[in-house]
Amino acid sequence: MTDVLDPPVQLPPPPPSHEMLEEHGHDEHHGPTGILKWITTTDHKIIGLSYTVTSVIMMIIGGAFAEIIRAQLASPNGTLVSLSQYNELFTMHGSVMIYLFVGPFAFGGLANIMVPIQIGAPDMAYPRLNALSYWLYLTGAITMLSGFFTAGGAANFGWVAYAPLSNSVNTPGSGADLWIGGLLLTGFSAIFTGVNICATVFYLRAPGMTMFRMPIFTWNMLVTGILILLAFPVLTAGLIMLYCDRHFGTHIFSVQGGGVPVLWQHIFWFWGHPEVYILALPFFGMATEIIAVFSRKPVFGYKGMVFATLTIAALSLGVWAHHMFTTGVVLLPFFSIMSLLIAVPTGIKIFNWIGTMWRGEIWFSTAMLMAIGFLITFLIGGLTGIYLASPPLDFFTHDTYFVVAHFHSVVMALLMAAMGGLYYWGPKITGYLLNERIGKMQFWFLFIGTQIFTFPLYVLGLEGMPRRVAIYPHDPQWKTLNDWSTFGAILIGISTILFVVNVAVSWKKYPSGDNPWDAQTLEWFTTSPPPHHNFYRLPQIRSERPTWDHNHPEHRSLTHGKHPELTEDGLEKVHSS
Amino acid sequence: MQTPALPPQGATVRARRWRHLRRAVALPLAALALSGCTIPSFYASEGATSSSKSVYHLWQWFSIGAVIIGGFVCILVAYAVLRYRRKGDHIPRQSQYQLPLELAYTIVPILIVFGLFAATLVVENKETANPATKVTINVNAFQWGWKFTYPGTNAFVYGQTTQNPEMIMPAGENVHFNLTSSDVIHGFYVHDFNFSRYALPGVRNEFTILAQNEGTYFGQCTQLCGLYHSLMYFRVKVVSQSQYAAWIASFNNPADEAAAKAAAKTTYQQTSSVVPTHGSTTKFGR
Ligand code: HEM
Ligand SMILES: [Cu+2]
Ligand SMILES: [Cu+2]
């Protein structure tokens, strides 16, 4: 084990062995095995793992589309793909990444596995609904991607499907219908997962696990769940309207029948902006946990962090029209100030992350490197987002590569946090560590590649290169910057390959023990992998770090910067007043 | 595999840390010194209209803010990362709250945000103002081209994709634009105006532009509008007011006018039947 980990510290003794093990895992031994077990399971850990694996495969598919896009743009008159194939590629790249990778990875994958364990619950509140979510997601993903095998090709109206381009006159192919159908299915899977997460957090917390003792990741997932419940039904309704317009002769979004095309944008972004935070909050949570654990400190400003998350969620419901500044039909100042204000809670989070590292003992494991990479890359994406919240600057950069660069800084940051989450929680899920040396190589390829990939795109946008163009013959000088960007994309591609290699190389090789990182939250108290219903026994839960308190009883959080008063037997003195 | 490498201790660490720090500070300072006293452009440009210049200055101020805030945060992160790397099995102080500090980094950003918002409002109000104008141009976007008509005159310009239809407008005068679309949503974007606006079906989008510098500027559709979106170009030629008047007058020959209209009509019909619809796999440039 020591040959993969290089902690310059002594690991703490593992949590006490599980002698008091009650006979519990009966259905584990008598239930079906193999593929039948996988299909019939309602265990949140297996469902979560299926989600994780499926969504990582989606990331690889979406990444492959991205590499083709970049290869096409390597010359001003690229002929690698046709104009219509190019439209399909970026549409499906965006759709796969947003709908089938980031979201499902976060709330179907890691959250599904971790939230119940973090709060000491035996499973999700509705295990069968959870299984249904996964199968809906898988079906939706296959449905959406099968568009490529239809005569007209896959959907090609961008991942936002603006009406009236997405109506049956302008996009008659069945690829578009499969896109709508696939998105409806994954949308329902998200809604059911949202229900499940909220119910689990509200009803299945272990004794002692009060709301303000929940780990930040669980907090963020709760808020994500609430946002899902508020936002996704709107998308579902919109998609049904779009489908009716396409096939049942309604005219909700078409001018000819008295409809309003911009209505689609309102509906789409009323879901779409909260969606941005539905995607981001889980990864904020992962990064928070990782930074605290590898700095050996509690999360700095825990309550401020929760407050910031709630503020972000509340504001995110009132900013959708910042995607519509250039439509000329929205109230600019209102949406501008609301969008600018989101920078405040986001800034609080960034400073809290730094505060957590401050005066810590930082261990640069792969997970921690990924979290720091997330922090820096997200900072860049956040700062460039502030420009876009200012309507005059948005008029100037909207629909150019500046926007593509901005949101790739953000999503690549999320990708880093996702990788950090896999390196951090992988051992908990599987019982085995990933190779740290390959992991660090992966990090540097990903981090440097991301900056080389996005920086030229910012400049290209400012020089006027529009997004979603397959060729740029009138301005061939843009080739140099595009080539740099493509080079960065190749580095990112290599990092993804390194990840796959790492999984293959480390397969069942480096047993991790229950708590390899000296981590703090409840999931690290149980075995790795956890038993069927997660816990044989629970520690006392007296803070948001029960495992840490158990392992380091003399190093509890100094909540207000002071050492707690201790009684003779070393316990914190309780003031009853 | 690899042996656990203990980080170097004591003097070497300090020396290396100092070198890191020096480099981190020296670079931005050097950049600042090189740029002299003029505010750097941050890759944007001044543009050719009165509001493009205000937008450019707004851009610069936002960028200065972003560089200062981003630099500050990066320095904090770099300091934390270099200073607090784990050296032994030591458990640091478990401090968790620091209320005055937390309040500070809540309140200061709020103030900054309102500053940015105030600056935004000034430029935005200028850019979206609708002063009285003498010249009006109707811009109509369609799959895949542009039509510019000049109400009250016979002048018009029409062209598809790479034909680069050239819109003529006078310099030094407020010009009112009515922007419409006949099919899907398009984006009217002129880089040197630092400005874009959607052309929406069923909506007339109005704005005013005061071009200050004569010249020819490149424009392109920025909102995905189907197969030939990549090629939906146009040009804007800003000419002096007398040249503009002469150009308008050149359309007053009725014979020319009819011929031009007929030509436009046929090109439109021809191409709209020839242009393949979606789902085709026509290769461009082959
Ligand atoms: C290997 C890393 C990636 C590369 C090289 C890449 C490349 C690109 C490029 C070049 C475009 C612009 C296409 C165009 O406008 O013509 C694009 C669009 C997009 N990308 Fe990525 N991308 C990557 C990762 C991601 C990730 C991780 C996400 C989301 C989680 C993502 C989401 C999107 C979205 C939503 C669009 C917009 C699609 C549209 O315009 O409809 N990308 N990507
Ligand atoms: Cu948004
Ligand atoms: Cu277009």
Side-chain angles (χ1 to χ4, degrees):
Chain A
M1 193 189 111
T2 38
D3 57 4
V4 275
L5 284 180
D6 54 346
V9 292
Q10 209 98 64
L11 290 180
S17 63
H18 305 279
E19 286 142 15
M20 304 152 62
L21 187 158
E22 14 147 0
E23 187 44 55
H24 197 283
H26 37 262
D27 24 20
E28 237 173 347
H29 304 303
H30 303 298
T33 51
I35 188 151
L36 208 60
K37 177 177 173 193
W38 177 61
I39 291 177
T40 57
T41 188
T42 58
D43 182 343
H44 71 106
K45 295 185 288 298
I46 302 178
I47 298 172
L49 195 58
S50 309
Y51 253 118
T52 309
V53 172
T54 314
S55 58
V56 169
I57 293 172
M58 290 302 151
M59 178 197 87
I60 293 171
I61 295 176
F65 294 162
E67 300 294 340
I68 303 175
I69 293 175
R70 290 305 332 164
Q72 162 76 9
L73 294 176
S75 87
N77 280 306
T79 48
L80 181 67
V81 296
S82 68
L83 291 184
S84 66
Q85 283 166 340
Y86 187 83
N87 288 0
E88 291 170 39
L89 277 174
F90 69 71
T91 301
M92 293 309 279
H93 161 69
S95 304
V96 167
M97 287 296 195
I98 298 281
Y99 304 128
L100 305 181
F101 162 53
V102 191
F105 177 90
F107 43 79
L110 289 185
N112 205 345
I113 303 176
M114 286 308 154
V115 166
I117 315 185
Q118 283 200 323
I119 58 174
D123 202 317
M124 282 289 212
Y126 308 114
R128 280 181 233 169
L129 189 67
N130 199 15
L132 177 65
S133 287
Y134 174 70
W135 296 109
L136 284 175
Y137 160 60
L138 185 64
T139 322
I142 294 170
T143 307
M144 191 184 283
L145 283 169
S146 62
F148 278 110
F149 304 107
T150 63
N156 57 6
F157 37 50
W159 77 285
V160 298
Y162 274 7
L165 182 63
S166 52
N167 69 14
S168 56
V169 177
N170 291 301
T171 312
S174 47
D177 294 319
L178 290 169
W179 183 91
I180 295 174
L183 189 47
L184 272 172
L185 292 169
T186 52
F188 275 114
S189 105
I191 293 174
F192 296 156
T193 306
V195 170
N196 233 330
I197 289 175
C198 292
T200 308
V201 169
F202 284 137
Y203 293 110
L204 293 188
R205 275 171 286 128
M209 179 61 76
T210 60
M211 293 293 274
F212 275 100
R213 288 177 190 161
M214 297 195 310
I216 290 288
F217 178 70
T218 294
W219 257 114
N220 282 21
M221 288 318 305
L222 172 65
V223 177
T224 305
I226 295 171
L227 276 182
I228 289 178
L229 295 185
L230 291 170
F232 264 81
V234 179
L235 175 69
T236 308
L239 288 169
I240 294 172
M241 292 184 220
L242 184 60
Y243 195 86
C244 290
D245 263 17
R246 286 174 62 84
H247 295 290
F248 305 141
T250 58
H251 290 284
I252 301 167
F253 305 123
S254 72
V255 179
Q256 287 75 16
V260 183
V262 176
L263 180 61
W264 168 259
Q265 295 184 31
H266 280 294
I267 293 174
F268 184 86
W269 290 114
F270 188 81
W271 161 82
H273 194 86
E275 164 75 355
V276 173
Y277 291 98
I278 291 171
L279 299 183
L281 289 178
F283 296 97
F284 291 178
M286 287 177 210
T288 311
E289 307 273 297
I290 293 171
I291 290 176
V293 166
F294 292 97
S295 307
R296 285 200 135 178
K297 278 185 61 200
V299 174
F300 183 74
Y302 171 90
K303 288 191 181 148
M305 210 70 155
V306 173
F307 163 78
T309 305
L310 291 169
T311 315
I312 288 179
L315 287 173
S316 80
L317 288 163
V319 300
W320 75 91
H322 66 204
H323 298 271
M324 302 165 60
F325 283 151
T326 60
T327 57
V329 297
V330 297
L331 187 62
L332 301 176
F334 173 78
F335 288 104
S336 170
I337 185 66
M338 292 291 277
S339 310
L340 286 168
L341 277 175
I342 291 198
V344 175
T346 312
I348 294 179
K349 278 179 178 283
I350 288 184
F351 286 116
N352 280 347
W353 289 323
I354 297 175
T356 307
M357 292 196 280
W358 209 256
R359 304 226 167 98
E361 290 278 320
I362 303 175
W363 168 10
F364 292 101
S365 68
T366 305
M368 184 64 175
L369 288 175
M370 291 284 183
I372 296 173
F374 155 84
L375 176 52
I376 300 290
T377 313
F378 183 75
L379 173 73
I380 299 173
L383 286 172
T384 52
I386 293 180
Y387 292 93
L388 297 173
S390 169
L393 299 178
D394 181 69
F395 293 165
F396 154 40
T397 50
H398 183 74
D399 273 338
T400 69
Y401 260 93
F402 185 83
V403 171
V404 177
H406 151 69
F407 70 74
H408 278 84
S409 286
V410 174
V411 295
M412 294 310 295
L414 302 186
L415 182 65
M416 284 176 214
M419 284 296 160
L422 285 179
Y423 277 86
Y424 174 60
W425 278 320
K428 176 51 59 186
I429 300 168
T430 61
Y432 294 93
L433 294 156
L434 286 166
N435 185 304
E436 283 282 300
R437 193 189 292 176
I438 304 182
K440 284 177 187 167
M441 265 163 61
Q442 182 197 344
F443 167 75
W444 286 110
F445 272 99
L446 181 57
F447 182 74
I448 296 175
T450 296
Q451 315 312 334
I452 298 181
F453 162 56
T454 52
F455 187 74
L457 297 187
Y458 284 114
V459 180
L460 278 172
L462 295 173
E463 289 182 0
M465 178 158 168
R467 68 193 281 200
R468 297 167 172 164
V469 295
I471 46 176
Y472 43 100
H474 77 92
D475 219 341
Q477 315 88 286
W478 287 340
K479 176 173 164 48
T480 319
L481 284 169
N482 270 297
D483 284 349
W484 275 105
S485 181
T486 305
F487 174 61
I490 292 171
L491 297 186
I492 298 171
I494 294 175
S495 87
T496 313
I497 294 171
L498 282 174
F499 176 70
V500 177
V501 168
N502 197 355
V503 173
V505 165
S506 334
W507 192 258
K508 301 215 166 165
K509 207 160 166 194
Y510 315 113
S512 64
D514 291 345
N515 185 2
W517 319 120
D518 190 10
Q520 307 171 349
T521 41
L522 195 54
E523 75 269 29
W524 298 98
F525 191 80
T526 185
T527 54
S528 302
H532 185 58
H533 277 160
N534 296 345
F535 290 93
Y536 293 118
R537 45 183 231 134
L538 287 169
Q540 270 205 333
I541 302 171
R542 289 292 170 270
S543 77
E544 82 280 4
R545 308 193 293 165
T547 305
W548 174 273
D549 292 345
H550 186 275
N551 292 336
H552 305 279
E554 71 291 1
H555 290 288
R556 318 210 30 188
S557 308
L558 311 174
T559 37
H560 292 288
K562 288 195 244 36
H563 285 280
E565 292 175 60
L566 298 185
T567 56
E568 295 84 77
D569 41 342
L571 290 177
E572 206 170 322
K573 205 178 252 169
V574 180
H575 297 280
S576 47
S577 57
Chain B
M1 300 232 20
Q2 99 212 69
T3 43
L6 280 170
Q9 304 284 328
T12 35
V13 174
R14 241 169 282 130
R16 196 195 299 165
R17 202 181 293 142
W18 177 232
R19 243 181 295 135
H20 276 292
L21 212 66
R22 222 165 37 192
R23 218 175 300 150
V25 174
L27 267 179
L29 281 186
L32 212 68
L34 279 180
S35 62
C37 283
T38 53
I39 305 177
S41 70
F42 299 102
Y43 298 100
S45 48
E46 207 176 37
T49 71
S50 67
S51 48
S52 76
K53 288 174 184 141
S54 325
V55 171
Y56 173 64
H57 293 132
L58 187 66
W59 171 265
Q60 288 177 313
W61 287 113
F62 265 62
S63 299
I64 289 169
V67 167
I68 291 175
I69 297 170
F72 175 65
V73 173
C74 282
I75 287 171
L76 287 182
V77 172
Y79 182 81
V81 161
L82 297 174
R83 170 77 180 71
Y84 302 117
R85 46 188 324 153
R86 197 173 287 191
K87 293 178 225 36
D89 190 9
H90 163 69
I91 293 185
R93 248 173 80 88
Q94 300 293 299
S95 50
Q96 189 166 28
Y97 292 101
Q98 186 45 262
L99 201 57
L101 184 65
E102 292 178 67
L103 281 177
Y105 59 63
T106 309
I107 293 167
V108 173
I110 292 181
L111 297 180
I112 296 177
V113 156
F114 276 95
L116 294 176
F117 182 57
T120 293
L121 279 186
V122 172
V123 178
E124 178 186 305
N125 289 342
K126 184 170 170 195
E127 204 175 14
T128 53
N130 259 329
T133 52
K134 288 198 300 269
V135 180
T136 300
I137 304 180
N138 292 341
V139 181
N140 176 244
F142 56 88
Q143 280 175 320
W144 287 272
W146 302 92
K147 187 173 167 189
F148 305 96
T149 48
Y150 297 74
T153 77
N154 292 324
F156 77 99
V157 180
Y158 173 93
Q160 297 181 53
T161 55
T162 44
Q163 290 173 339
N164 284 326
E166 193 168 74
M167 174 180 102
I168 310 284
M169 66 182 283
E173 185 168 354
N174 278 315
V175 178
H176 185 87
F177 285 85
N178 297 313
L179 180 62
T180 55
S181 161
S182 358
D183 36 53
V184 301
I185 301 172
H186 301 269
F188 174 91
Y189 169 68
V190 182
H191 175 246
D192 287 287
F193 290 1
N194 288 348
F195 180 78
S196 73
R197 183 57 58 92
Y198 281 176
L200 295 164
V203 172
R204 193 175 67 201
N205 249 327
E206 302 184 30
F207 52 89
T208 305
I209 284 179
L210 173 64
Q212 291 178 324
N213 309 354
E214 289 177 30
T216 304
Y217 307 107
F218 184 77
Q220 183 167 4
C221 173
T222 46
Q223 177 58 37
L224 177 66
C225 54
L227 190 60
Y228 291 115
H229 165 62
S230 312
L231 294 166
M232 219 175 120
Y233 303 152
F234 62 98
R235 280 178 201 288
V236 177
K237 189 170 181 185
V238 178
V239 296
S240 71
Q241 288 175 17
S242 56
Q243 281 170 314
Y244 176 75
W247 180 77
I248 292 285
S250 73
F251 285 84
N252 288 345
N253 179 343
D256 284 359
E257 184 202 330
K261 270 204 173 135
K265 215 167 185 184
T266 45
T267 29
Y268 182 51
Q269 278 162 357
Q270 268 169 10
T271 38
S272 48
S273 57
V274 165
V275 164
T277 41
H278 302 261
S280 107
T281 46
T282 322
K283 295 239 182 210
F284 175 80
R286 284 240 164 127

